[in-house]
Amino acid sequence: FQHYYITNNLSRMRSIRTVCLISMLLLPVLSSYGDQTHEYRDCTTLRMRTCEYANLDTTLKIFGWDCLSDSQYMCALEMTEKRIALGKPILQYNGRWAFRRYIGLQEPASVFFSFCNGFAVFLGISNLVAKVPVTYNLFHTWLGYGIVCLITWFVSFLFHAKDTVTTEILDYLGASTMVMLSLYCMLLRISGRDQFGKIKNHLNYKYGLPIFLLWAYHAYNLGFYKKIDYGYNMKFNVFIGVTHHLLLTGWGLWNWNHRPHIKKAVWVIVFSSLALLLELFDFSPYYLVMDAHATWHAATVPITVLWWSFIVDDCVFEFNRFKRKVV
């Protein structure tokens, strides 16, 4: 009887632990399904019946809002404000938090910081053009990289201004392209060169072709599936980013005493790794404006400035070093 009693209690304890574990795992999942509540659905249905596209503000029409998306936004905001007033945790609706819209911009904070990041890249490109001679072998490589970064932050601006299937795919694809191109540029930067400092031609194909094929595979996964696999996209970008950081860290430590600007690259690695935590651990928006993703966008602005400062310093350093060799 005692053996049965102990065994029975152990079984109950295992069951309780299992239920608790499942509850903990499901909690963040359930919190993203506010759009499944009857209150939200009823609100959306009622607003759709009374909505007329002609009556929408011009700013909303410019950014692609229609009756359906406007009704969903207004109801999500209404439900969120009610839950805040009642002291309840807020939910996500249609996979995102409800933000306070401004002049038709769905996520004004992320829009603003996307613009700031793009402007930081623009200043970096301007600095590159002003200080680095065109004859430097990596000048056009970094210039092309900068143009891709500008496009990436532009599509990020569009996506956060108004979330659509197209802008979402472009935003994720742009981010992946920028990360992969960063890896490609660093591979070229640290690879072997001839006595004049020029990169050996075969390295462009050795690194470029595999990275391009990987990018094409990733683009296919993002653009041709009906539903984006957010988990896959995050893991892919984190993997490429970590690879880039490890490569840059190893190269930086190897050249620590020879290149004073290496310290900037190290700080970029430290700060960007810390900023990544904002992407991995989401939190609801403060005052319905700043969530984890918007905070991450804000954090990347100074990181972008520091990264481009390193790029320009490294280009100038390398150009002068090989110039002295030739002379």
Side-chain angles (χ1 to χ4, degrees):
F1 174 77
Q2 186 178 8
H3 173 74
Y4 171 78
Y5 177 78
I6 295 174
T7 305
N8 191 37
N9 277 335
L10 287 174
S11 298
R12 288 180 179 179
M13 290 174 64
R14 292 192 188 100
S15 300
I16 292 171
R17 286 202 304 268
T18 303
V19 171
C20 290
L21 179 60
I22 293 174
S23 299
M24 292 173 63
L25 293 173
L26 286 178
L27 184 59
V29 177
L30 292 174
S31 66
S32 66
Y33 284 96
D35 47 293
Q36 301 297 320
T37 61
H38 293 293
E39 189 179 17
Y40 172 80
R41 290 183 174 183
D42 293 341
C43 175
T44 305
T45 302
L46 181 61
R47 281 188 172 273
M48 280 291 294
R49 289 174 182 171
T50 58
C51 177
E52 292 185 10
Y53 180 76
N55 294 332
L56 293 178
D57 291 342
T58 303
T59 53
L60 298 182
K61 295 177 182 178
I62 291 175
F63 288 105
W65 293 88
D66 54 21
C67 280
L68 175 60
S69 58
D70 184 64
S71 298
Q72 290 176 337
Y73 164 78
M74 294 301 296
C75 290
L77 184 62
E78 181 182 331
M79 300 300 107
T80 298
E81 290 177 336
K82 282 184 178 179
R83 295 186 70 87
I84 292 175
L86 295 173
K88 296 181 179 180
I90 66 175
L91 306 176
Q92 289 188 348
Y93 298 87
N94 300 303
R96 62 171 56 248
W97 303 110
F99 295 87
R100 295 194 186 280
R101 194 167 55 188
Y102 180 71
I103 59 171
L105 301 176
Q106 189 169 2
E107 299 178 29
S110 291
V111 168
F112 173 73
F113 291 121
S114 292
F115 171 81
C116 291
N117 275 284
F119 187 69
V121 172
F122 174 77
L123 293 178
I125 294 175
S126 300
N127 204 20
L128 179 77
V129 173
K131 294 184 177 181
V132 180
V134 181
T135 53
Y136 175 59
N137 64 91
L138 278 179
F139 174 84
H140 291 96
T141 301
W142 286 119
L143 180 61
Y145 167 74
I147 294 173
V148 170
C149 291
L150 278 177
I151 296 173
T152 296
W153 288 115
F154 175 69
V155 296
S156 175
F157 178 98
L158 294 178
F159 170 63
H160 293 296
K162 178 63 178 71
D163 177 11
T164 66
V165 174
T166 301
T167 57
E168 185 176 41
I169 292 175
L170 288 176
D171 178 59
Y172 290 160
L173 187 58
S176 300
T177 304
M178 184 169 65
V179 173
M180 296 185 75
L181 198 54
S182 297
L183 177 61
Y184 170 73
C185 290
M186 282 310 302
L187 285 170
L188 288 182
R189 170 62 188 84
I190 68 177
S191 297
R193 307 181 184 197
D194 59 23
Q195 66 271 28
F196 301 106
K198 293 183 178 180
I199 294 176
K200 298 174 183 179
N201 290 329
H202 75 278
L203 294 178
N204 289 301
Y205 303 101
K206 179 181 178 180
Y207 300 133
L209 183 59
I211 290 178
F212 173 77
L213 293 176
L214 185 61
W215 174 87
Y217 171 78
H218 183 62
Y220 174 81
N221 284 339
L222 285 180
F224 291 89
Y225 287 156
K226 293 182 179 179
K227 187 176 181 180
I228 295 176
D229 188 339
Y230 300 101
Y232 156 77
N233 182 67
M234 175 64 73
K235 291 175 184 176
F236 180 89
N237 286 325
V238 169
F239 173 75
I240 299 297
V242 168
T243 303
H244 172 266
H245 280 11
L246 290 175
L247 187 68
L248 184 57
T249 300
W251 176 77
L253 293 175
W254 183 263
N255 294 277
W256 185 263
N257 297 322
H258 307 294
R259 294 173 171 81
H261 56 278
I262 287 291
K263 296 179 179 62
K264 293 182 179 180
V266 173
W267 282 117
V268 167
I269 294 171
V270 173
F271 291 143
S272 59
S273 298
L274 292 175
L276 182 61
L277 297 176
L278 294 169
E279 285 287 87
L280 299 179
F281 301 100
D282 193 18
F283 57 80
S284 58
Y286 288 102
Y287 303 103
L288 302 184
V289 175
M290 287 288 292
D291 69 334
H293 188 67
T295 308
W296 174 77
H297 277 310
T300 56
V301 176
I303 294 173
T304 300
V305 173
L306 188 60
W307 174 238
W308 274 96
S309 178
F310 160 75
I311 291 174
V312 173
D313 287 352
D314 188 65
C315 290
V316 172
F317 182 90
E318 284 296 290
F319 178 80
N320 291 332
R321 185 168 73 92
F322 283 103
K323 183 179 180 181
R324 287 194 296 268
K325 281 188 176 182
V326 173
V327 173

